[in-house]
């Protein structure tokens, strides 16, 4: 049985990269960049005023002038006015271009305007260059701003827009078929018998992928029937890039999924990982190069395997430069005797210094998904030890 680290390594080695596509900016949020983005021009592109006030030159100030004739008013987005005399000023707004002949801005709160004359408070201390964001002080035209592998969030979207192109090269999002397997599963809204349960795993998987903008998702519910499973899984394999199955992967007589996947030409990479929950997880790649994850059907197992393996694999296929998961410390001791990696659900607490601490919230069973509500995710506790004291550091995987 594989360790968690070896399972992760095999997945990373087997998953092929997604193709590159060009997408308009408004559809690029959450995507992974596949190009280098360079500055269209200097930033700021001119000496930019950062304060409402009056723009003046230093010469008159240095000789003691505190009254300035207002040459006009200049807002952002207007051509720069020019000071034609050193005792002139321009009433100016934040974001405007600094007028030629001016070298700084005095805040409007320190100025009185009287009949076309600006009078500066007598105790105000002025320094040339103040309240001006100098041209090119952020970066210069042609400087690289974003590199391939960057995840496009709000800050990156602002950078992309500033670079001037209406479209961008990104990794194509995979089309993922989420397949739930089991005669006992009933869709919400339909009547169910005492021996049946509500279908929930598919929507949890879809939500996790959708909130990250990672994939286009379709859902399918299939019965425990070999012919039906073979036909529909084969069809979904043809029409999608990835398959994520839930259920039918353990050792029971009705757990047909592994043999069906093999019959469809999907090459097994591994089956079973030394972990709890989610030990029966199955992973393979088809002869068409499409990844297939068959996750255990218990809801906690499904979600843990999705977050720990499937989502990182999708990011990897898109070439994303993802940060390491954060390290948190346990607030109380826990024990776990099996020689397995333990994925323990936790809530988060912060101390007065901003340190993150994990409050253990173990579930009753791997079917106790209601206990996950309100948790931040789970921590990974190593298989090599049994007792984990308060303060023990662990990596957090967020939902």
């Amino acid at each position: 049985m594989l360790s968690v680290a070896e399972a992760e390594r095999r997945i990373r080695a087997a998953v092929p990269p997604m193709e590159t596509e060009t997408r308009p900016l408004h559809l690029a949020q959450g995507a992974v960049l596949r190009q280098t983005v360079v500055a269209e021009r200097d930033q700021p592109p001119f000496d930019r005023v950062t304060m409402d006030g009056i723009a003046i030159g230093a010469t008159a100030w240095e000789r003691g002038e505190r009254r300035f004739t207002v040459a006009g008013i200049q807002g952002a987005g207007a051509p720069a006015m020019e000071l034609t005399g050193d005792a002139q000023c321009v009433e100016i707004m934040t974001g405007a271009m600094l007028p030629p002949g001016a070298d700084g801005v005095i805040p409007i709160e320190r100025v009185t305007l009287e009949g076309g004359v600006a009078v500066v408070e007598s105790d105000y201390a002025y320094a040339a260059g103040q309240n001006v964001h100098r041209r090119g002080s952020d970066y210069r035209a042609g400087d690289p701003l974003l590199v391939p592998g960057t995840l496009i969030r709000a800050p990156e979207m602002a950078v992309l827009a500033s670079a001037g192109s209406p479209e961008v090269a990104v990794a194509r999002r995979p089309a993922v078929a989420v397949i739930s397997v089991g005669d006992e599963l009933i869709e919400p809204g339909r009547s169910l018998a005492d021996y049946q349960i509500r279908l929930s795993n598919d929507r949890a998987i879809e939500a996790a992928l959708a909130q990250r903008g990672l994939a286009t998702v379709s859902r399918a519910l299939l019965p425990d029937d070999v012919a039906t499973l073979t036909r529909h899984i084969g069809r979904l394999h043809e029409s999608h890039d990835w398959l994520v199955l839930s259920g039918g992967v353990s050792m029971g007589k009705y757990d047909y999924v592994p043999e069906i996947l093999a019959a469809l030409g999907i090459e097994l990479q591994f089956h079973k990982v030394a972990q709890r929950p989610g030990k029966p997880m199955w992973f393979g790649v088809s002869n068409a190069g499409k990844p297939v994850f068959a996750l255990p059907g218990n809801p906690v197992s499904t979600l843990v395997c999705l977050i720990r393996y499937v989502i990182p694999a999708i990011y990897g296929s898109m070439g994303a430069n993802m940060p390491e998961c954060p390290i948190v410390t346990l607030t109380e001791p826990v024990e776990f005797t099996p020689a397995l990696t333990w994925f323990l659900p936790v809530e988060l607490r912060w101390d007065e210094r901003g340190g993150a601490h994990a409050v253990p919230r173990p579930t009753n069973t791997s079917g106790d998904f209601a206990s996950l509500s309100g948790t931040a995710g789970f921590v990974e506790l190593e298989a090599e030890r049994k007792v984990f004291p308060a303060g023990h550091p662990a990596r957090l995987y967020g939902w």
Side-chain angles (χ1 to χ4, degrees):
M1 191 160 41
L2 294 184
S3 68
V4 168
E6 178 62 14
E8 183 179 45
R9 188 196 66 78
R10 292 196 187 184
I11 292 169
R12 188 167 54 245
V15 170
M18 294 301 298
E19 305 92 334
T20 297
E21 67 180 10
T22 300
R23 199 178 298 173
L25 286 189
H26 73 281
L27 297 178
Q29 60 271 21
V32 177
L33 193 63
R34 282 280 178 85
Q35 69 178 73
T36 299
V37 176
V38 300
E40 179 183 37
R41 55 182 184 159
D42 294 348
Q43 176 61 26
F46 47 80
D47 288 343
R48 177 181 173 273
V49 171
T50 62
M51 180 81 67
D52 293 344
I54 59 169
I56 68 168
T59 303
W61 183 270
E62 290 170 355
R63 69 167 182 261
E65 187 65 63
R66 298 297 181 266
R67 297 173 60 88
F68 298 87
T69 303
V70 178
I73 300 175
Q74 182 187 321
M81 301 180 66
E82 184 171 1
L83 298 181
T84 57
D86 63 5
Q88 285 187 330
C89 70
V90 171
E91 188 178 354
I92 201 155
M93 310 303 162
T94 301
M97 179 183 289
L98 186 69
D103 56 17
V105 174
I106 298 174
I108 195 65
E109 295 85 356
R110 307 302 298 272
V111 175
T112 301
L113 295 172
E114 301 174 344
V117 175
V119 181
V120 182
E121 293 177 356
S122 59
D123 61 346
Y124 184 75
Y126 173 77
Q130 70 178 31
N131 300 317
V132 176
H133 190 186
R134 291 297 183 187
R135 175 175 178 167
S137 58
D138 291 350
Y139 51 78
R140 293 291 185 180
D143 283 352
L145 303 179
L146 300 173
V147 298
T150 299
L151 185 64
I152 300 174
R153 309 165 302 159
E156 291 78 17
M157 185 63 75
V159 173
L160 284 168
S162 74
S165 175
E167 56 188 23
V168 63
V170 298
R172 183 173 69 83
R173 291 186 179 103
V176 177
V178 177
I179 305 168
S180 300
V181 178
D183 291 337
E184 75 278 16
L185 302 174
I186 303 297
E187 287 271 9
R190 295 182 55 192
S191 60
L192 75 169
D194 292 344
Y195 52 85
Q196 296 172 319
I197 60 174
R198 287 295 181 201
L199 173 63
S200 62
N201 287 352
D202 60 339
R203 284 175 170 79
I205 294 171
E206 183 179 35
L209 296 174
Q211 74 183 22
R212 293 166 171 84
L214 268 183
T216 58
V217 177
S218 63
R219 294 181 288 108
L221 172 59
L222 302 179
D224 290 313
D225 175 77
V226 172
T228 303
L229 286 168
T230 302
R231 182 172 66 256
H232 285 282
I233 292 174
R235 176 180 57 81
L236 290 166
H237 171 264
E238 291 178 2
S239 59
H240 292 75
D241 302 302
W242 294 51
L243 300 184
V244 179
L245 295 92
S246 174
V249 73
S250 294
M251 301 300 291
K253 288 187 176 180
Y254 292 161
D255 289 324
Y256 303 126
V257 167
E259 65 184 72
I260 289 170
L261 295 177
L264 289 171
I266 298 167
E267 182 179 352
L268 173 67
Q269 301 294 314
F270 63 80
H271 186 191
K272 295 185 181 179
V273 182
Q275 64 185 35
R276 183 177 293 177
K279 179 179 174 182
M281 191 179 93
W282 190 104
F283 170 68
V285 178
S286 73
N287 50 21
K290 298 181 179 182
V292 178
F293 289 86
L295 311 182
N298 280 326
V300 179
S301 300
T302 295
L303 268 179
V304 163
C305 290
L306 177 78
I307 299 299
R308 184 62 182 84
Y309 300 108
V310 181
I311 285 176
I314 296 177
Y315 275 127
S317 75
M318 300 169 84
N321 301 324
M322 300 302 294
E324 290 279 348
C325 292
I327 300 294
V328 297
T329 57
L330 295 177
T331 60
E332 58 193 72
V334 292
E335 295 186 16
F336 187 70
T337 56
L340 302 170
T341 296
W342 187 22
F343 297 130
L344 171 65
V346 295
E347 294 181 16
L348 283 187
R349 297 287 185 271
W350 285 266
D351 61 30
E352 63 278 4
R353 296 183 178 179
H357 304 281
V359 183
R361 291 290 181 261
T363 60
N364 289 327
T365 67
S366 58
D368 180 22
F369 59 94
S371 295
L372 300 180
S373 179
T375 61
F378 57 89
V379 293
E380 182 174 317
L381 300 176
E382 57 269 31
E384 292 75 22
R385 62 189 303 163
K386 311 292 185 186
V387 178
F388 303 89
H392 182 79
R395 199 167 295 281
L396 173 71
Y397 292 87
W399 298 128

